[in-house]
Amino acid sequence: MSNTNKDKKKTTHFRISLLDAKTHQQLFSVRFNRTGFFVTIVSTIVVMSAAIFSIIAFTPVRTFIPGYPDAHSKRAAIQNAIKVDSLENVIYRWELYSENLRRVVEGEKPVSIDSIIAISDRRVREAKDPEYLKRQDSLMRKEVKEEEMFDISSRSQRDLPIEGMLFFTPLKGVISQGYDPVVHPFLDITAPEGSVVKAIANGTVIYDGWSEETGYTIQIQHDADIVSIYKHNEKLLKKTGDKVSAGAPIALVGNTGSLTTGEHLHFELWHKGESLDPTKYINF
């Protein structure tokens, strides 16, 4: 009975030995029991899992995992976000441009960029200050009364046909390419860089800005639904909303934009939404 108990106690311990095949010399030996064996296995698994996690989380090895974004992908995503924001701004400017062009064609007053920016502030002021509307109404009534007194309101103005109107020459130079209603519905006038570009008649600037193709561009709304457009300028001297008189400097001749091959003025003349040959109405 005692021998049986001793045999059972002996089987709870194990030993792993490494022997030389020829000499049977013991090279390595490890003794362990069942509890130690399982603790060793679990500890090994935990340590290996922690090591693998650290390698994946804190080293570039994680970029080799399918579907994981690398530095290039992140940088591309940021650049795409910036481009989307820029495109939204371009779309907004083109919407404003098209709205102003529609108003010009229909004879309405163009939208001022400054008025768009200040509209929210005005609404807040009107909501907080009930007396604001009364003061504005009084000022408007006074202004209308003074205009009617001296007969200077727009209703008393006489609309002349475009053939009877006098236009100022926008630029003294050489016409390098003439007007063609289909292929080239405008004029190209060459002149030295920095030459002064002038307004052809009294009017209001409805657009001033930059585009990649046409460079610095300015557009003016005149009476009788006439619009003049000046492109590829080196510098603009007027801003949207400015009142200009005939012969007033509005820009300087340049070579800006991708659709240009030299210093010149791209000049367009529009009447009621249709392009006109400027040489028929202006002496260049």
Side-chain angles (χ1 to χ4, degrees):
M1 186 71 178
S2 59
N3 293 332
T4 305
N5 292 335
K6 289 181 179 180
D7 293 337
K8 290 181 178 180
K9 290 181 180 180
K10 289 181 180 179
T11 57
T12 58
H13 296 275
F14 305 92
R15 182 175 62 181
I16 297 177
S17 299
L18 182 63
L19 303 177
D20 190 331
K22 294 182 179 180
T23 63
H24 297 282
Q25 182 181 358
Q26 183 175 326
L27 302 177
F28 176 78
S29 178
V30 176
R31 295 186 64 185
F32 57 90
N33 54 23
R34 293 180 180 178
T35 303
F37 176 76
F38 287 112
V39 170
T40 302
I41 294 298
V42 172
S43 300
T44 303
I45 294 174
V46 171
V47 171
M48 291 182 63
S49 300
I52 294 173
F53 174 80
S54 300
I55 292 173
I56 294 176
F58 303 107
T59 65
V61 175
R62 64 181 180 273
T63 59
F64 294 98
I65 299 176
Y68 192 91
D70 55 6
H72 177 74
S73 300
K74 293 181 179 179
R75 183 166 57 252
I78 295 174
Q79 292 177 351
N80 290 336
I82 296 174
K83 290 180 180 179
V84 169
D85 183 68
S86 301
L87 289 175
E88 288 179 351
N89 292 333
V90 172
I91 292 173
Y92 174 76
R93 290 197 299 267
W94 273 107
E95 288 178 350
L96 179 61
Y97 171 78
S98 61
E99 176 63 18
N100 271 344
L101 186 59
R102 182 191 65 80
R103 287 172 174 262
V104 168
V105 172
E106 296 180 357
E108 300 178 6
K109 185 178 180 181
V111 179
S112 174
I113 297 178
D114 294 335
S115 64
I116 295 176
I117 298 175
I119 188 170
S120 59
D121 179 66
R122 187 180 71 246
R123 290 176 178 175
V124 172
R125 281 191 302 164
E126 293 175 358
K128 293 183 177 180
D129 187 5
E131 299 297 327
Y132 179 77
L133 288 177
K134 294 182 180 180
R135 292 196 299 268
Q136 291 297 108
D137 182 69
S138 299
L139 293 174
M140 183 179 297
R141 289 177 180 273
K142 181 179 179 181
E143 182 179 354
V144 172
K145 186 176 180 180
E146 291 177 353
E147 289 181 355
E148 295 296 335
M149 180 184 300
F150 296 99
D151 195 24
I152 60 174
S153 64
S154 58
R155 291 178 297 177
S156 63
Q157 295 178 357
R158 181 168 56 94
D159 292 334
L160 293 175
I162 188 172
E163 290 79 9
M165 301 180 65
L166 297 177
F167 296 101
F168 199 92
T169 303
L171 177 67
K172 287 294 185 179
V174 178
I175 299 177
S176 59
Q177 188 168 359
Y179 176 89
D180 184 280
V182 178
V183 180
H184 196 261
F186 42 82
L187 291 182
D188 288 337
I189 308 170
T190 58
E193 184 175 359
S195 300
V196 178
V197 179
K198 302 176 182 179
I200 62 171
N202 299 338
T204 303
V205 178
I206 59 175
Y207 173 79
D208 75 288
W210 161 273
S211 71
E212 183 177 355
E213 294 181 349
T214 61
Y216 287 106
T217 301
I218 187 169
Q219 301 180 11
I220 302 177
Q221 169 70 62
H222 309 282
D223 294 335
D225 294 334
I226 297 174
V227 177
S228 59
I229 303 176
Y230 316 76
K231 299 180 179 179
H232 302 303
N233 299 286
E234 178 66 26
K235 182 179 180 181
L236 302 181
L237 305 179
K238 298 295 182 179
K239 296 182 179 180
T240 301
D242 289 349
K243 300 289 185 179
V244 297
S245 57
I250 58 174
L252 300 179
V253 172
N255 187 30
T256 59
S258 59
L259 299 180
T260 177
T261 56
E263 294 83 5
H264 76 286
L265 171 65
H266 171 117
F267 178 70
E268 300 179 20
L269 184 64
W270 295 78
H271 180 234
K272 294 184 177 181
E274 296 183 1
S275 65
L276 302 177
D277 183 357
T279 58
K280 294 182 178 180
Y281 310 96
I282 303 174
N283 184 21
F284 290 92

